[in-house]
Amino acid sequence: MPASKNALLRYKTIDACLCNRTRLWTLNDLVRKCNEAMLDYCGTSISVRTIQSDIQFMRSDRPGYSAPIVVVDKKYYMYNDPDYSITKTPLSVQDVKQLNEAIGIFKQMSAFHPMTGLEDVLCRLEDHVKNLNEQNKPVVYFEQNNQVKGLQFIPVIYEAIAKKQVLCILYQSFKSSRSRKFIFSPYILKESRNRWFVFGTHTRNTREVTDLALDRIITIKTASGCPFYEDPTFDPETFFDDIVGVTKMNTPVETVRFWAGSINAPYILTKPIHASQQVLEQREDGSMVFQIKVIVNHELIRDLMAFGEGVRVLSPDSVVQTMRERFVQGLNQYEIENNDRFI
């Protein structure tokens, strides 16, 4: 089990004590020092038994440090190697292997490579461990699209969010033929289907939380002298609870019920369209009826349409009508008389 931050603090405190060989350390001394560190860090205290367990952990080979802790005169704790410290413990072969895998995972998260300092840290870390063990091919691969636009804006937006700085953005949506410039207070960055979005408020508008696609940003810079507007009601932990994707309409949550055929039902069951998804009915032919409670947006319609004939929306009527119209329009695209229009 991975050590908690509190446990690591105690191990480091015990290590600092035992590395200080100008005095002898009793168990009570170690408890007192650890209590001082814990009170400063989180305001809690620990027992003698906890420190005894910590010492046993540090002595152990796996998953501890193999620390050479001995007891002298049945009273004093010390390292029998005067040069030992847990901070000098070499990495095991397994440690290096896991570290290489972690580096590989970070390198695949290419969207964050432009973040200040991270690429340099990864290069130095990779260089530090590359000679300790043979390089292995990654075993975890993330979905990537190297042609996604707008990733270069992530560092500026990230820093602005962290420092609560206002941004001046030149933006052109897919629906607009002209770009426009506005002042924006950014709150969070979010990735959805290999596209990145920043959520925040237009400080001169209605101040409702809105999203901007990074691939539609033309230029971006900090707007010095402009006050940052922080919406006290915005909570990123709950903001996305009632939507699929990133588009949050100013409409109420609706209960959407849909049927899925036997081929698609298992996929929808194991990968729910939304966290609220429930199975209302399982039929003998393997088909199922599902229910979700969401704000209806275009991402939801797109996801339902992706299953083609394998899914049929049952309610509400507004979503049924939208699905019907979309499929009729799609069918019309394949009518013979329309072929010449696309050739």
Side-chain angles (χ1 to χ4, degrees), residues 84-117:
Y84 180 84
S85 171
I86 63 173
T87 60
K88 300 177 182 179
T89 303
L91 295 173
S92 68
V93 173
Q94 182 65 20
D95 291 336
V96 175
K97 181 180 179 181
Q98 292 179 339
L99 189 55
N100 275 321
E101 291 175 355
I103 292 172
I105 290 174
F106 274 113
K107 288 175 69 177
Q108 289 186 66
M109 297 172 67
S110 57
F112 282 93
H113 277 193
M115 286 178 61
T116 305

Side-chain angles (χ1 to χ4, degrees), residues 17-127:
C17 291
L18 300 186
C19 287
N20 179 7
R21 302 178 72 87
T22 61
R23 57 164 293 180
L24 297 175
W25 297 91
T26 66
L27 181 61
N28 287 335
D29 292 332
L30 298 176
V31 173
R32 178 173 54 81
K33 283 292 185 181
C34 287
N35 266 320
E36 291 175 358
M38 293 293 292
L39 287 171
D40 288 340
Y41 176 68
C42 59
T44 61
S45 60
I46 39 86
S47 65
V48 173
R49 179 173 294 181
T50 298
I51 299 304
Q52 289 174 321
S53 298
D54 290 342
I55 292 173
Q56 288 300 112
F57 176 89
M58 293 172 67
R59 282 172 169 163
S60 66
D61 178 25
R62 303 183 78 179
Y65 297 95
S66 298
I69 301 175
V70 295
V71 181
V72 179
D73 296 331
K74 299 181 179 181
K75 183 177 183 181
Y76 301 108
Y77 289 78
M78 62 182 298
Y79 288 141
N80 65 3
D81 179 354
D83 295 324
Y84 180 84
S85 171
I86 63 173
T87 60
K88 300 177 182 179
T89 303
L91 295 173
S92 68
V93 173
Q94 182 65 20
D95 291 336
V96 175
K97 181 180 179 181
Q98 292 179 339
L99 189 55
N100 275 321
E101 291 175 355
I103 292 172
I105 290 174
F106 274 113
K107 288 175 69 177
Q108 289 186 66
M109 297 172 67
S110 57
F112 282 93
H113 277 193
M115 286 178 61
T116 305
L118 178 57
E119 189 170 10
D120 180 57
V121 170
L122 286 175
C123 289
R124 286 187 281 116
L125 182 59
E126 186 176 20
D127 181 67

Side-chain angles (χ1 to χ4, degrees), residues 185-201:
S185 296
Y187 297 160
I188 60 168
L189 280 160
K190 182 175 174 60
E191 185 268 346
S192 178
R193 297 178 181 268
N194 276 322
R195 293 185 72 203
W196 283 88
F197 301 82
V198 56
F199 286 76
T201 57

Side-chain angles (χ1 to χ4, degrees), residues 200-218:
T201 57
H202 299 260
T203 52
R204 290 184 296 181
N205 292 353
T206 59
R207 292 188 172 179
E208 291 183 356
V209 175
T210 187
D211 64 281
L212 301 177
L214 268 60
D215 55 18
R216 304 310 301 163
I217 293 176
I218 300 173

